[in-house]
Amino acid sequence: MADKVTATPAALELIAEIVADHGPVLFHQSGGCCDGSSPMCYPQGDFLIGDYDVKLGEIGGAPFYISGSQYDVWKHTDLIIDVVPGRGGMFSLDNGRERRFLTRSEICALPPRETE
């Protein structure tokens, strides 16, 4: 399967910052429980990938997974991982950095900003 996930330059910058602090990481697209539907960033080895999780690709050298049931809903679009101001998920490594990862899709991506 071709990669179905990409990252904005801001997301790649935050990933590099987190990797510099914590070593290799992985992402798992949250299913909407405690932290909404945020992409969660964990140290590799600290999150168990489930039998039904689907690897969408890699961003910034980090594997990106989504649950099988969510993949069934989102398989018709590509995900775009971006960064916005705010706090990350409680257990996600972006927490406490005053920036958090946000999932967009090619269906609901923001149009490029026009320069003034």
Side-chain angles (χ1 to χ4, degrees):
M1 166 182 13
D3 281 0
K4 297 202 48 78
V5 62
T6 58
T8 64
L12 293 173
E13 182 180 303
L14 183 54
I15 293 167
E17 179 182 311
I18 291 171
V19 167
D21 290 345
H22 297 280
V25 299
L26 67 79
F27 284 85
H28 192 276
Q29 179 62 47
S30 172
C33 178
C34 304
D35 292 308
S37 58
S38 298
M40 304 293 282
C41 180
Y42 302 102
Q44 283 190 17
D46 280 9
F47 184 86
L48 295 177
I49 302 304
D51 291 340
Y52 298 104
D53 288 339
V54 176
K55 184 178 179 185
L56 296 182
E58 293 190 1
I59 55 173
F64 193 102
Y65 296 89
I66 191 170
S67 69
S69 60
Q70 275 197 293
Y71 177 74
D72 286 340
V73 174
W74 288 97
K75 66 185 173 189
H76 304 292
T77 187
D78 292 346
L79 300 184
I80 304 159
I81 306 308
D82 200 358
V83 171
V84 295
R87 295 211 170 228
M90 184 182 306
F91 301 108
S92 185
L93 294 176
D94 56 342
N95 191 10
R97 295 174 184 268
E98 303 310 320
R99 294 168 288 157
R100 68 180 184 88
F101 294 109
L102 176 77
T103 301
R104 302 185 192 278
S105 77
E106 64 182 6
I107 294 171
C108 56
L110 294 176
R113 291 183 184 173
E114 292 184 27
T115 56
E116 295 179 24

